[in-house]
Amino acid sequence: MTTTEPRTEQEILDRESMDDVDAIAAFNPDPDEVLHAVQDQADALFTWDYSKGSRPRLDKLYEKAKVSQWNAQTDLDWSIEVDPLQAFSIFTESSNVGTGHWTEHPDSPAKNWGDKEWDQFSIESFAWRLSQFKHGEQGALLCTAKIVETVPWIDAKYYAATQVVDEARHVEVFEKYIDEKIGVRYPVNPHLQLLLDDIINDSRWDMTYLGMQIMVEGLALAAFGLMHQVTTEPLLKKLLRYVMSDEARHVAFGVLSLQEVYQDMTAKEVRERQEFAFEAGIRMRDRLLQQEVWDRMGCDVKKAVEHGLNIPEDDQIFNQLLFSKIVPNCRKLGLLDAGDGWLREKYTEIGVIELEHLDETGEEYSEVSIEDDELASSTNQ
Ligand SMILES: [Fe+2]
Ligand SMILES: [Fe+2]
């Protein structure tokens, strides 16, 4: 993926235009595949510099991670019965489809739906979200295993190793919830898969951080937070609370590590990171159009995608909120304004630049971490 000249938007996205409906509405070419191979081109690095704590903030994160482990099997009450319709409704602020743009607009594929269809859609959309969370978590599992190999610093290898365990628990806990409480599942969304493939495939170790810790995990942290806020289902609420406490550390790991790396980069190298942050932003925007759900509901997917892209400004709050961690973190890393401010322009085009002054996540993890006594009391139950 190394380039000599800045790439055009078309080259970055490998499609005719940013809003190319045909490309966005495409499906996973093999929804029945069980194994998916990606070429990992990076060098695995040994370091003989074992001086623990030479990067104190990473060392602090590592120590925090070691005492914040929870167990998906024993720390959650799996006897709780879940009604998927009650657990999550698309008619809340945590949704970009429960609005007049979808329920009433003449171009909406759902304009004639009654309660029965909307209830079904709500359950499908909930299952789709949880499925994508789970696939993203597996992406994080593979990416952090890769970071253990590729990052040159011992403090980062130590920390990343704790994250590998965290991500294994996250995949496990979402799969268990989907399997035991929802019973509806979806394959990985093609846009999420494209992004995960690109992240794993890139040979530069900092790109794994940027793609996973800043972009994918930044979006996940915001999405978990929104679902946590609106759900009253106690098992899901606690599950998300536990996952979020880990995720905030993960995003902090990305911010703290990349700050150091970006300081010494050339303008050309920074531009490549900006392009990657833009590409990841678009892949995640496309992913949120949830084309698989429209398909399963029997709708014309291209029309649904087109309608989703034409969402009015007033209804964009949900998508904007999902970028609420990504944009401030890109700003903190200097990616918005580096060079000629190319990324600022792009994030302005997709309507998320207003979020740049929200809190970045470099230190925020301590605020959402599970208190030690909280963890201890639930472990003792
Ligand atoms: Fe995770
Ligand atoms: Fe994570």
Side-chain angles (χ1 to χ4, degrees):
M1 225 174 84
T2 308
T3 53
T4 46
E5 290 295 320
R7 291 177 298 162
T8 63
E9 194 175 288
Q10 287 79 1
E11 285 168 339
I12 294 168
L13 298 173
D14 194 22
R15 60 165 84 145
E16 276 181 20
S17 69
M18 192 161 84
D19 293 344
D20 178 346
V21 173
D22 287 332
I24 299 172
F27 281 90
N28 193 330
D30 183 4
D32 297 324
E33 76 175 354
V34 176
L35 291 174
H36 176 76
V38 187
Q39 190 72 44
D40 174 351
Q41 320 207 41
D43 289 341
L45 290 182
F46 282 90
T47 173
W48 311 126
D49 178 358
Y50 290 101
S51 40
K52 181 178 184 305
S54 54
R55 287 177 173 76
R57 295 205 290 181
L58 294 185
D59 186 45
K60 190 176 153 199
L61 264 186
Y62 174 51
E63 292 301 324
K64 176 81 188 156
K66 283 192 286 186
V67 295
S68 305
Q69 301 285 313
W70 47 275
N71 185 337
Q73 301 294 332
T74 55
D75 287 333
L76 293 165
D77 180 1
W78 292 99
S79 71
I80 292 172
E81 294 211 4
V82 175
D83 175 351
L85 195 54
Q86 296 300 321
F88 176 80
S89 167
I90 56 151
F91 293 102
T92 66
E93 66 204 56
S94 174
S95 173
N96 51 350
V97 275
T99 63
H101 185 63
W102 293 99
T103 54
E104 290 160 19
H105 194 287
D107 292 340
S108 167
K111 63 178 183 293
N112 296 322
W113 285 1
D115 289 348
K116 186 169 156 263
E117 288 84 0
W118 279 113
D119 283 353
Q120 185 60 33
F121 183 86
S122 214
I123 293 170
E124 294 289 340
S125 183
F126 183 38
W128 178 87
R129 285 164 206 240
L130 293 170
S131 292
Q132 302 315 321
F133 286 168
K134 179 184 70 179
H135 300 310
E137 295 291 358
Q138 191 187 165
L141 175 67
L142 268 59
C143 282
T144 41
K146 181 177 170 178
I147 288 176
V148 173
E149 289 187 346
T150 57
V151 70
W153 314 322
I154 198 73
D155 287 321
K157 284 185 189 291
Y158 287 161
Y159 177 76
T162 67
Q163 190 178 333
V164 173
V165 183
D166 290 349
E167 305 300 3
R169 281 188 284 104
H170 298 177
V171 180
E172 175 196 356
V173 79
F174 279 116
E175 170 56 22
K176 188 171 168 69
Y177 190 85
I178 292 167
D179 186 51
E180 294 182 12
K181 307 299 175 186
I182 310 295
V184 179
R185 54 186 73 233
Y186 278 84
V188 63
N189 172 272
H191 306 293
L192 177 60
Q193 182 73 69
L194 266 179
L195 179 56
L196 296 176
D197 287 1
D198 270 1
I199 297 170
I200 299 271
N201 183 257
D202 203 294
S203 62
R204 296 160 292 187
W205 66 264
D206 71 283
M207 288 296 202
T208 322
Y209 272 93
L210 177 61
M212 180 47 65
Q213 319 293 123
I214 303 299
M215 306 302 295
V216 177
E217 303 206 277
L219 185 128
L221 185 54
F224 297 156
L226 285 168
M227 195 178 267
H228 178 263
Q229 233 172 44
V230 299
T231 188
T232 52
E233 196 284 276
L235 174 58
L236 180 64
K237 209 170 179 77
K238 192 165 182 187
L239 178 164
L240 289 169
R241 176 79 182 79
Y242 274 27
V243 173
M244 281 164 64
S245 72
D246 296 339
E247 293 303 345
R249 273 198 313 276
H250 303 170
V251 182
F253 178 49
V255 175
L256 296 177
S257 302
L258 289 183
Q259 269 181 322
E260 178 176 338
V261 182
Y262 286 176
Q263 276 168 10
D264 301 322
M265 275 190 181
T266 64
K268 178 177 157 287
E269 287 170 329
V270 171
R271 171 60 184 253
E272 287 165 8
R273 273 73 189 168
Q274 290 179 306
E275 290 175 2
F276 196 46
F278 166 67
E279 181 197 339
I282 295 298
R283 302 279 182 237
M284 290 191 293
R285 178 205 69 167
D286 296 347
R287 173 200 145 178
L288 297 172
L289 295 166
Q290 48 184 330
Q291 64 234 49
E292 299 90 340
V293 180
W294 295 109
D295 184 54
R296 210 172 270 187
M297 292 298 295
C299 297
D300 181 321
V301 172
K302 276 189 200 170
K303 275 190 186 159
V305 162
E306 202 161 14
H307 198 60
L309 288 170
N310 291 330
I311 196 165
E313 214 161 287
D314 287 353
D315 290 350
Q316 284 185 3
I317 181 77
F318 172 76
N319 286 359
Q320 285 175 339
L321 286 173
L322 287 175
F323 280 79
S324 63
K325 306 290 175 198
I326 292 172
V327 184
N329 286 331
C330 282
R331 179 174 178 273
K332 172 97 175 178
L333 293 170
L335 286 180
L336 288 183
D337 292 309
D340 54 1
W342 183 85
L343 188 61
R344 170 177 295 281
E345 249 174 61
K346 292 293 168 195
Y347 278 180
T348 304
E349 270 175 49
I350 62 170
V352 296
I353 197 68
E354 292 83 0
L355 305 164
E356 65 171 310
H357 294 296
L358 294 177
D359 289 344
E360 42 82 20
T361 325
E363 301 292 349
E364 192 195 40
Y365 67 90
S366 55
E367 286 163 30
V368 289
S369 74
I370 303 169
E371 291 307 315
D372 296 342
D373 51 348
E374 194 181 332
L375 195 63
S377 70
S378 77
T379 310
N380 294 336
Q381 272 168 13

